[in-house]
Amino acid sequence: MTGADFLRFVASMRKAKPKLQESLIDRFQLSQDDLSHGTLQNLGIIQAFFHQPELLILDEPTIGLDPLMQEEFYRLLREMQNEGKTIFFSSHNLPEVEKVCHRIAIIREGELVALETLEGFKKKKLKRLQFTLSRPVPGLDLPGTNLVDHNDLSYEYLVEGDIQTLLQRLSTLPIEDLTFPESDLEEVFMAYYRREE
């Protein structure tokens, strides 16, 4: 039995609409005679969407998918969201979470430690500061920051305090190069873990 045959059997058991069935088979290219890991992953995704559920619970659904299938999966998720479906999406791939989720929960050791909209988390993003000094500065201390990395004359900090006070202090240092790189969701996530520790 091919993956497509198996899928048609499952669809008939669930009384899926034939048009939806064929559309999903085409979108996720389920026509191979073998059931490789990627094909099985596609099959699982199609099975989850066949009966047009009001609630979807997906755990690491894109593992094993090639980039084109991932993009197709994201399009399908957006369609479901636009139809008002509720989707619980579990993933360790934080850029993916940022791409597809509206609300985010952070779970640590089985306990919910944060629940926020994506916009709320973006507002909480920590600022990163990277700079290189032209000469050593003994006892370097920056207000409202936590040192992340230090290598010779190069430093990286997470900024949590008042930016104006920090800028005043930086203006007194022999800085050769300075950047405030864009933070991402992963840094917010790690900040929750550091606070707990």
Side-chain angles (χ1 to χ4, degrees), residues 48-49 54-61 73 77 80-81 85-91 97 100-105 107 112 115:
F49 287 89
E54 292 300 313
L55 171 66
L56 280 154
I57 300 174
L58 305 169
D59 184 22
E60 304 282 358
F73 174 73
L77 276 186
M80 296 295 106
Q81 289 170 339
K85 313 289 188 193
T86 300
I87 302 167
F88 287 99
F89 184 92
S90 170
S91 178
V97 169
V100 301
C101 297
H102 298 121
R103 291 176 58 83
I104 299 170
I107 298 172
L112 185 68
L115 177 62

Side-chain angles (χ1 to χ4, degrees), residues 103-164:
R103 291 176 58 83
I104 299 170
I106 296 177
I107 298 172
R108 183 169 190 252
E109 296 179 0
E111 290 189 25
L112 185 68
V113 295
L115 177 62
E116 187 73 67
T117 64
L118 179 57
E119 287 305 311
F121 270 117
K122 284 182 175 180
K123 289 177 184 170
K124 290 181 180 179
K125 280 185 181 180
L126 301 173
K127 295 174 190 68
R128 282 190 302 145
L129 166 65
Q130 295 173 338
F131 62 89
T132 304
L133 298 175
S134 58
R135 60 179 168 74
V137 174
L140 180 61
D141 182 36
L142 296 178
T145 64
N146 289 313
L147 182 64
V148 174
D149 191 25
H150 170 225
N151 183 12
D152 195 25
L153 295 175
S154 295
Y155 295 82
E156 182 173 354
Y157 286 87
L158 284 179
V159 180
E160 296 178 335
D162 177 49
I163 194 78
Q164 294 301 323

